[in-house]
Amino acid sequence: MEERMHMSDEARDIADVQAVEVITTTAVHLMSAAAVKVGLADDPGTQLDLDEARKLITALAGLVTAGAPEIGDMHARSLRDGLRSLQLAFREASPFPDPIGQGPGEKLTGPVN
């Protein structure tokens, strides 16, 4: 019974959250994880994982591309800027950079250089 009440409280809490907040919060989590995996955190020697970073950046690109019309330019602009910075950081961290237009998420965002 207590668990059911807790789940009910969580459902009510999420019901009060606007979609723009859910989308931007999710994007920030993806950005943070990608930044760590691309080597922008405290210990890049042990945290760098470009395969994982590619997946996270591509997922972020999909979310930002699909969500931008729904959340408005004010919110989307900063997400696009963060995404672009991660795409460029990925290219710099790669020992064999992808050709322009073929990096993570670039099929969704267009070429980044």
Side-chain angles (χ1 to χ4, degrees), residues 31-82:
M31 281 184 188
S32 297
V36 170
K37 298 294 186 181
V38 83
L40 298 176
D42 296 339
D43 191 6
T46 63
Q47 297 169 331
L48 182 71
D49 186 336
L50 295 178
D51 183 51
E52 289 290 303
R54 179 183 297 279
K55 293 171 188 171
L56 292 163
I57 293 169
T58 300
L60 175 61
L63 177 62
V64 171
T65 301
E70 305 302 325
I71 64 174
D73 189 56
M74 181 178 81
H75 297 286
R77 186 177 308 129
S78 60
L79 296 179
R80 283 190 198 107
D81 289 345

Side-chain angles (χ1 to χ4, degrees), residues 78-102:
S78 60
L79 296 179
R80 283 190 198 107
D81 289 345
L83 171 59
R84 182 176 184 278
S85 294
L86 287 168
Q87 288 171 312
L88 291 172
F90 182 93
R91 181 166 288 125
E92 285 182 24
S94 297
F96 306 101
D98 297 316
I100 304 261
Q102 294 180 21

